[in-house]
Structure formats: structure tokens, C-alpha cells
Amino acid sequence: MTAITAPSTGTRDGLLRFAMRLDAVLVGITGIPFVAAAGWLSSVTGVPVAVEYALGVFFLAYGVVVYWLAAVDNVRPGAIATITANALFTVGFVGAEVAGIWPLTGWGVALLLGGAAYTAVIGSVQYLGLRRLP
């Protein structure tokens, strides 16, 4: 009698891969205005222009890398890195607002706390997907 094993992809990793791809697309798209309109965003949010540019470039790169990581055969290491990045950004966004390191406007506070909420939720969904892996 031969044992039949489940394929390593497609059976229990669907939620994780979907959440990673969704995160990659949403964050990557978000990077475009951060780069293209950093000056305007800075005036609206109170976040320095250099930080807006840096975040935009990071978001664009993150989108490409995480989308690629979602497609590799062994998704676990990339998923752990992505979940960790989301957790760090959650803490970082909240910490930046609480510490008052920039003279944020109301929109700036909303942007940081909204970003923290997004990264907390998407990271949680990714974590649930990771837990489903064999």
C-alpha cells in the first residue's frame, strides 16, 4: 500500500498566500503617491518630506518582494518575515504618533493610526494563514 501525501502548496496555504499578495498589492500601490506627491503629503500630514519619500520607496520595494515571496514553494520563511514586518510597522506607527516626533496634523495622526490598524489586521490574517500550514 502506498501513502498519498498532500501537495505542499495550494491545499492549506491559500489564505496565507492570498493575504501576502493582497498586502503586497495594497502597500505597493500606496507607495506611488508617497513618492510622486511627497511634498504635498508632507504638508497635509506633517510627516517630513524625506520620510514620505523613504516610506514610498520602501512600500514599492515591499510590494514587489512580498508578492514574490507569496509565490515561492516554501512560503513559511517569507511569511514569517512579512508578519514580522507588519508587527514592527504596527508598533512603529503607533510609537511615532505617541512619541510626537513629528508635528503631525489631524490627517497625519489618522494616517499613522490607520497604517497601524492596517498592518495589525493584515498581519493577523497572515498569521492565521501561517498557523494553517502543516
Side-chain angles (χ1 to χ4, degrees):
M1 190 180 266
T2 50
I4 299 174
T5 58
S8 63
T9 61
T11 55
R12 300 195 43 107
D13 61 0
L15 174 64
L16 175 60
R17 291 181 190 274
F18 173 77
M20 288 175 69
R21 287 185 181 115
L22 178 64
D23 190 22
V25 169
L26 293 176
V27 171
I29 288 172
T30 301
I32 296 169
F34 273 71
V35 171
W40 177 79
L41 275 174
S42 177
S43 69
V44 170
T45 63
V47 177
V49 175
V51 174
E52 298 282 3
Y53 275 123
L55 282 173
V57 170
F58 176 81
F59 289 168
L60 291 169
Y62 177 93
V64 171
V65 170
V66 171
Y67 200 89
W68 174 75
L69 287 172
V72 298
D73 286 338
N74 183 10
V75 71
R76 184 181 302 274
I80 291 169
T82 303
I83 294 164
T84 301
N86 278 312
L88 291 173
F89 264 88
T90 300
V91 172
F93 286 150
V94 172
E97 198 285 320
V98 170
I101 60 175
W102 302 309
L104 297 175
T105 65
W107 286 107
V109 172
L111 178 74
L112 285 179
L113 296 182
Y118 167 78
T119 55
V121 169
I122 197 72
S124 296
V125 174
Q126 291 164 349
Y127 181 73
L128 289 173
L130 180 67
R131 297 278 305 189
R132 293 177 61 180
L133 293 181

